[in-house]
Amino acid sequence: MLFKRLFFYLFTTLIMPYIATFLWIILFSLSSFGQEVKINGAYLSLEKDTIDYGDILINSDGERSINMINTGNEPLLINVCEGSCGCTVPKCPDMEIFPGDSNKIKIIYDTKRRGIFNKTITIKSNAINNTVYIKVIGKVTH
């Protein structure tokens, strides 16, 4: 009888508070787990933020593209789409991209110059993340 009382006392005072805390943590974690984050406005999401040409031959085709999607809830309009120098020329869509729609950004790198390159494309838009950068890297060989 004494053992049962001692066990009951120890369980309710020492162990039960930890179990209750653990259950509360699990309950609150699960209640927020399935909720989506709502974005009010356009949001420019890119397939990737770096275009790696790797080793590319001199005078070869320097055209690449990257997928973009408007994951916001308002139309996306790109205002500025420019490379960090004249050897990297991006071509962004000039029309509105509606929520959930996707499009491509075309990038042309001038492969007439030999050597390693590390360039940046800047995209400015009406999105919440109004300035997005794409790195363009690689090495032109002969």
Side-chain angles (χ1 to χ4, degrees):
M1 183 75 165
L2 181 63
F3 180 73
K4 282 185 175 179
R5 285 186 178 172
L6 181 62
F7 178 76
F8 181 74
Y9 173 76
L10 290 175
F11 183 78
T12 57
T13 58
L14 297 177
I15 297 172
M16 196 62 167
Y18 290 110
I19 292 173
T21 304
F22 177 74
L23 290 174
W24 275 109
I25 291 171
I26 296 298
L27 178 68
F28 284 119
S29 297
L30 291 176
S31 68
S32 64
F33 184 66
Q35 297 179 6
E36 287 185 28
V37 175
K38 300 288 185 198
I39 298 174
N40 289 324
Y43 194 88
L44 175 58
S45 297
L46 296 173
E47 170 185 37
K48 53 188 173 183
D49 62 356
T50 302
I51 296 180
D52 188 355
Y53 280 76
D55 289 345
I56 186 168
L57 293 174
I58 196 164
N59 293 323
S60 62
D61 181 21
E63 184 175 315
R64 302 288 187 273
S65 65
I66 187 169
N67 290 325
M68 57 177 275
I69 187 167
N70 179 3
T71 55
N73 61 3
E74 292 181 14
L76 171 70
L77 184 61
I78 296 175
N79 305 323
V80 175
C81 184
E82 61 188 10
S84 55
C85 72
C87 59
T88 308
V89 180
K91 174 82 172 98
C92 292
D94 54 358
M95 61 199 164
E96 284 187 336
I97 300 165
F98 293 100
D101 287 350
S102 62
N103 212 318
K104 290 189 181 289
I105 299 171
K106 185 174 20 170
I107 293 116
I108 301 173
Y109 181 76
D110 184 6
T111 60
K112 294 176 190 163
R113 302 174 180 123
R114 227 180 317 159
I116 296 172
F117 58 92
N118 185 355
K119 307 298 178 185
T120 303
I121 294 172
T122 304
I123 301 169
K124 295 184 180 184
S125 67
N126 67 331
I128 295 169
N129 57 337
N130 60 357
T131 304
V132 176
Y133 301 99
I134 303 172
K135 287 177 54 177
V136 180
I137 59 174
K139 180 179 180 183
V140 178
T141 61
H142 61 275

